[in-house]
Amino acid sequence: MEVTQGMLLLEGFYWDQDDEARQWNKRFKDKTGKMPNMLNAATYSAVTNYLNAAQELGTDDADAVLAYLHEQEINDLFAKNGRIRRDGQMVHDVYLYEVKSPKESDGEGYFYITGPGRRDPDRMVPRKYGRV
């Protein structure tokens, strides 16, 4: 018997990856009428983390907030085990998914068979492309 595998992809966020993402998806879809994508979740994460840091510090001074964020591990609906490297790159866990066939899909937005994966955060973006 031959085992076939569908198309695989790495993704930083999928609305159905866990309970926290599903709850955020519901709020997002109720407000926008659309399913969120990775860019929507990343933007929400970045803005929320910045605002929470500014509130915690009592200032919106960008240098102070960035210094604070460099010291934090970021774990939210988008970033798991996230950190901001010294070169400014945000790194976090990513997920390996297999794309479902149309027959396997459970409805709108159910595109992937889930399975967690990780990559080495220091190799995510070659340093020659990162800020120094």
Side-chain angles (χ1 to χ4, degrees):
M1 178 171 132
E2 183 177 321
V3 177
T4 60
Q5 183 171 311
M7 183 173 71
L8 299 177
L9 70 143
L10 286 176
E11 185 75 80
F13 174 83
Y14 176 44
W15 72 267
D16 196 30
Q17 69 192 24
D18 57 32
D19 288 339
E20 186 178 21
R22 283 187 285 276
Q23 291 169 2
W24 184 75
N25 168 67
K26 182 175 178 350
R27 292 192 316 270
F28 185 93
K29 190 172 180 190
D30 286 349
K31 287 185 179 192
T32 67
K34 298 180 182 188
M35 301 290 284
N37 60 35
M38 187 173 70
L39 184 58
N40 300 134
T43 302
Y44 180 86
S45 172
V47 170
T48 301
N49 278 287
Y50 178 87
L51 293 174
N52 288 340
Q55 184 175 24
E56 176 75 22
L57 295 172
T59 181
D60 63 356
D61 176 73
D63 291 333
V65 172
L66 184 58
Y68 175 84
L69 288 172
H70 272 281
E71 301 300 319
Q72 307 305 307
E73 183 172 283
I74 299 172
N75 283 293
D76 61 16
L77 72 106
F78 171 71
K80 306 296 186 217
N81 301 308
R83 66 182 174 90
I84 301 172
R85 295 190 326 199
R86 290 206 177 275
D87 64 3
Q89 297 295 316
M90 168 63 175
V91 294
H92 56 87
D93 290 358
V94 296
Y95 304 91
L96 177 65
Y97 294 111
E98 182 177 348
V99 177
K100 291 181 177 181
S101 71
K103 291 178 184 176
E104 293 173 307
S105 180
D106 300 327
E108 179 190 12
Y110 288 92
F111 302 124
Y112 307 145
I113 298 169
T114 59
R118 291 197 59 177
R119 63 179 159 187
D120 180 351
D122 290 319
R123 294 176 49 141
M124 185 183 104
V125 176
R127 292 195 184 277
K128 68 180 179 179
Y129 299 117
R131 289 176 292 174
V132 180

